[in-house]
């Protein structure tokens, strides 16, 4: 029950903040940068709550972990972290952005290709862990994260599209992409965070995915 409750609160917090007057009110009071900081802290805190509930929950095994699942989780989650890193360092008019400075519509960098790196990264992170975690309610965390990312892509893009005129939106969609300095920095940040999680994974969660991969 705790897992379902925490996941529901996590999902509702994103829906309510994005679709209510709370977001523009908060931006008016503390600015775009302040809002992004508060929103990020709130999201991380609620996500941590979900993780703690999953760790402490009783489990029902649905399937045994196949040997290939550890390598799959390691590589796919690494790709997800790279995308999240790129999303964190690049201004994004299409989707979630952690930057509040102005952007050049003719030089969008990697987001001109990916459009939603944070959401796709979250989706890949969830998908990566599903084969290796055939337990209930652990699946709520990973499948829920994947579904949240997939559902979020069109929802966020529709919301962002309203900020621009049809001509501006068409120009943004036609902008050329490139793996620029911001994307390279984001990729490095993502790889560093991924490596950190791999190192801490056996300490935090009791499973070493890299060692398990080689044993398989």
């Amino acid at each position: 029950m705790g897992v379902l409750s925490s996941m529901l609160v996590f999902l509702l917090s994103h829906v309510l903040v994005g679709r209510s007057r709370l977001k523009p009110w908060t931006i008016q009071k503390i600015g775009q940068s302040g809002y992004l900081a508060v929103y990020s802290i709130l999201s991380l805190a609620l996500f941590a709550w979900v993780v703690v509930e999953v760790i402490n929950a009783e489990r029902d095994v649905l399937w045994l972990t196949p040997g290939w699942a550890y390598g799959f989780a390691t590589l796919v989650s690494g790709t997800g972290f790279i995308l999240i890193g790129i999303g964190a360092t690049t201004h994004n008019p299409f989707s979630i952005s952690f930057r509040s400075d102005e952007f050049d519509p003719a030089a969008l960098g990697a987001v001109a290709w990916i459009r939603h790196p944070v959401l796709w990264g979250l989706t890949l992170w969830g998908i990566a862990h599903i084969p290796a975690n055939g337990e209930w309610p652990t699946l709520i965390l990973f499948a829920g994260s994947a579904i949240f990312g997939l559902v979020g892509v069109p929802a966020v893009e529709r919301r962002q599209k309203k900020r621009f005129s049809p001509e501006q939106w068409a120009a943004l969609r036609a902008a050329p992409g490139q793996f620029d300095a911001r994307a390279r920095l984001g990729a490095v940040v993502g790889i560093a965070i991924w490596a950190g999680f791999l190192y801490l994974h056996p300490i935090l969660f009791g499973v070493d995915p890299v060692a398990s991969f080689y044993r398989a």
Side-chain angles (χ1 to χ4, degrees), residues 18-109:
R19 293 184 176 275
S20 69
R21 295 186 60 82
L22 181 61
K23 178 178 178 179
W25 181 85
T26 306
I27 293 175
Q28 183 181 16
K29 294 296 182 182
I30 62 177
Q32 181 73 15
S33 298
Y35 163 77
L36 289 174
V38 171
Y39 183 77
S40 298
I41 293 171
L42 174 63
S43 297
L44 289 173
L46 291 177
F47 188 73
W49 178 27
V50 177
V51 172
V52 170
E53 290 291 346
V54 168
I55 291 174
N56 294 327
E58 294 184 4
R59 289 171 169 75
D60 294 320
V61 177
L62 302 177
W63 66 77
L64 298 177
T65 301
W68 57 265
Y70 299 109
F72 177 81
T74 301
L75 297 176
V76 176
S77 64
T79 305
F81 276 115
I82 290 173
L83 290 178
I84 292 172
I86 291 173
T89 57
T90 306
H91 197 297
N92 193 341
F94 299 110
S95 187
I96 296 172
S97 178
F98 297 101
R99 299 186 56 168
S100 58
D101 54 323
E102 293 297 323
F103 67 95
D104 182 356
L108 297 180

Side-chain angles (χ1 to χ4, degrees), residues 172-186:
L172 288 173
R173 295 191 62 177
Q178 59 178 323
F179 196 61
D180 58 7
R182 292 170 298 179
R184 293 193 293 271
L185 173 62

Side-chain angles (χ1 to χ4, degrees), residues 118-133:
V118 173
L119 291 173
W120 286 122
L122 179 64
T123 300
L124 288 178
W125 179 83
I127 292 173
H129 288 80
I130 291 174
N133 291 273

Side-chain angles (χ1 to χ4, degrees), residues 194-211:
W194 173 62
F197 268 106
L198 287 180
Y199 177 78
L200 294 173
H201 205 280
I203 300 172
L204 297 175
F205 308 111
V207 177
D208 186 343
V210 176

